[in-house]
Amino acid sequence: MKSELKKMLEYLEIGDLVLENGTLIRNVRIAYNVYGNIDNAEKIIWICHALTANSDAETWWPEMIGKDEIFNTDKHAIICANVLGSCYGTTFECEEEKPLITVRDMVSAHQKLADSLKISSIDFLLGGSLGGMQCLEWSIINPDFIKNLFVIATNCKHSSWGIAFNEAQRMALELGEKGLDAARAIAMLSYRNYKTYEYSQVDDINAADDFSAASYQRYQGEKLRKRFTPSAYYSLSKSMDSNNVGRNRGSLEKALSKITAKTLVIGIDSDILFPVNEQQYIAKNMENAVYEQIKSKYGHDGFLLETDKIKTLLKKHFDFL
Amino acid sequence: MKSELKKMLEYLEIGDLVLENGTLIRNVRIAYNVYGNIDNAEKIIWICHALTANSDAETWWPEMIGKDEIFNTDKHAIICANVLGSCYGTTFECEEEKPLITVRDMVSAHQKLADSLKISSIDFLLGGSLGGMQCLEWSIINPDFIKNLFVIATNCKHSSWGIAFNEAQRMALELGEKGLDAARAIAMLSYRNYKTYEYSQVDDINAADDFSAASYQRYQGEKLRKRFTPSAYYSLSKSMDSNNVGRNRGSLEKALSKITAKTLVIGIDSDILFPVNEQQYIAKNMENAVYEQIKSKYGHDGFLLETDKIKTLLKKHFDFL
């Protein structure tokens, strides 16, 4: 396969896949982006995207990927693939209307993609939130395949609080197409926090109605509805709930101890959805991991927004960047 | 009027009322409960209820009200009235389908009820959450009328975060009757917190679906739908948003300084919806207030559940209890 510098969305058929719960999905097609050239890249960098993102990582993480960026398209090949269940190009057929796709299933599909792309190992695997969950699973399923690892604002088992947030969103999704607006508005509460809303949504002292925080919620809901689908949102939120590296592996500790990659785990001090104790737990139970914490006013969304702080820590811990 | 020991729901017609925004509501009928005897009570105690509660305070605060309880029905007359906009007996007519009822409007109605009951002053006014908002407003509107005051888990201006939570709930409510389930599920996330869900919703280590936190959300939603109405929920959430003692009074500080009652303000350390800085702010800006903080694992719901801790603090600060 002759690789060129390509930034366009590509598709690859990986055939059928048996999901973790035994369900067969057929004709799986993975949508993915490659920035740079796989064949002569110094390093293969694989980015796992989060809930409503897509494989065009440069669009949602522009400060991280580019000619002069930390993920340098002149030197590295940077790959990002759209996850199973998303609505950004990855597709499959299934007899069940709502098959449960776990984080492990997402990883299985991407391992097949990597094999098809003749990638023998990933030099640097990284992701935040649902992306981080995939990174951990991949590094447990195939430790030798992953040389270096970076996860941020994620966990190794989704919390009951996180599941409760997701269930409230699914309850809204079941009420019709505009349920996606409400689901997104709920999610925003967990991506930000009390203080974020307090300083960004300010009203006239004499207001009694039409508050800016209310408009913000509606705006965010509408914005997502225009670019996403309720069924994809439903599926991905179930995937997130499923996250538990300890499932059928004895314990969380045993699963995490299988990871051999040199690892950086970052927690964000203001993240209420994935509080820092979750990232501290991950690092503590891995053989070769360092924990770092960043201050942010953005809460969970800090993993997308605090790129300067993230880059500084990446350079500190990974020589090749 | 001959008063007897009565615990039954009573109704009183208070006529018409002009709301804060100028809207006229007609034939206002207030539903209320009196425990004890107003005419020969040592103290008149008035409880303001929270969002989805009703005037039968003994049912939702049983450890606080009764023959041998801190609000002693043998010695005190304890009054609780259902707020404007609720679905527990208080009614009115209005040409507008969804008039904005502010916390001040709720208080205006209850002042009329108190006047009709020939109550010349309230010895002890108290409430938590939306109830506390009413207490503060009442003490500002009519300072001489309120002798002692206790508020818990409340604020003097509803936060942008709180408004955002409420708006997400209203977005769900607009999607049909089952929107109330989703709204309640959203609200539960703010009444509890990460830790509450973590220790109360536990699953098998090998579970990939059907998590207890998800069932809990559905259960709480259904439970509320069976006893409440979407329109009342909508109205009351808008009332909560409207809470701002500073509106058209210059500032929050100026408004709070008008309160003369001896006051106890309690914050709950784990309350994410009304964080303790809000109660500290209230106490700091009042002439005659003390701030106390209680530890609770229940978050905001601690104001209903931590009755032992609350009673200890009430006895410490109010001799007559």
Side-chain angles (χ1 to χ4, degrees), chain A residues 205, chain B residues 104 132-141 143 149 151 154-157 243-263 265 277-289:
Chain A
I205 177 73
Chain B
R104 292 183 199 181
M133 296 174 175
Q134 297 163 57
C135 293
L136 291 176
E137 272 294 343
W138 205 339
S139 306
I140 291 164
I141 293 170
L149 175 65
V151 295
T154 194
N155 55 30
C156 61
K157 179 177 188 301
N243 186 51
N244 174 5
V245 300
R247 186 167 57 251
N248 298 321
R249 289 178 184 141
S251 71
L252 296 171
E253 293 83 351
K254 277 186 193 165
L256 289 171
S257 71
K258 291 183 184 173
I259 301 176
T260 54
K262 172 181 159 66
T263 301
V265 184
N277 65 289
E278 298 191 333
Q279 294 89 54
Q280 287 162 346
Y281 181 88
I282 293 169
K284 202 181 70 183
N285 288 285
M286 285 170 63
E287 290 296 322
N288 195 12

Side-chain angles (χ1 to χ4, degrees), chain B residues 3 21 35 47 51 65 91 93-94 121 126 138 143 169 171 181 213 241 272 291 303:
Chain B
S3 296
N21 70 357
Y35 312 90
I47 299 173
L51 198 73
I65 302 163
T91 55
E93 291 154 26
C94 183
S121 69
L126 69 144
W138 205 339
Q169 292 171 54
M171 289 167 77
D181 295 49
D241 286 5
I272 62 165
Y291 172 74
F303 90 88

Side-chain angles (χ1 to χ4, degrees), chain A residues 167 194 205 218 244 278, chain B residues 160 167 194 205 218 244 278:
Chain A
E167 188 72 9
Y194 181 94
I205 177 73
R218 302 229 169 222
N244 174 7
E278 297 190 334
Chain B
S160 293
E167 189 71 9
Y194 181 95
I205 177 73
R218 302 232 169 218
N244 174 5
E278 298 191 333

Side-chain angles (χ1 to χ4, degrees), chain B residues 118-222:
Chain B
K118 311 250 186 289
I119 292 171
S120 56
S121 69
I122 292 172
D123 295 299
F124 195 37
L125 178 68
L126 69 144
S129 197
L130 180 62
M133 296 174 175
Q134 297 163 57
C135 293
L136 291 176
E137 272 294 343
W138 205 339
S139 306
I140 291 164
I141 293 170
N142 198 354
D144 296 341
F145 194 66
I146 312 298
K147 303 305 176 191
N148 297 279
L149 175 65
F150 161 52
V151 295
I152 178 168
T154 194
N155 55 30
C156 61
K157 179 177 188 301
H158 203 41
S159 65
S160 293
W161 164 254
I163 291 169
F165 253 105
N166 284 339
E167 189 71 9
Q169 292 171 54
R170 287 187 292 267
M171 289 167 77
L173 286 176
E174 288 167 11
L175 303 175
E177 206 206 342
K178 276 199 139 187
L180 187 54
D181 295 49
R184 181 62 160 187
I186 301 164
M188 291 312 299
L189 298 164
S190 66
Y191 299 161
R192 304 294 171 106
N193 58 44
Y194 181 95
K195 283 186 187 168
T196 325
Y197 276 89
E198 214 52 21
Y199 65 68
S200 63
Q201 307 301 327
V202 180
D203 297 287
D204 184 273
I205 177 73
N206 294 326
D209 200 358
D210 302 319
F211 297 104
S212 65
S215 313
Y216 178 79
Q217 296 294 84
R218 302 232 169 218
Y219 168 76
Q220 293 295 339
E222 268 182 45

Side-chain angles (χ1 to χ4, degrees), chain A residues 84-96:
Chain A
L84 280 180
S86 176
C87 51
Y88 284 119
T90 290
T91 55
F92 61 84
E93 290 154 26
C94 184
E95 284 179 11
E96 283 187 37

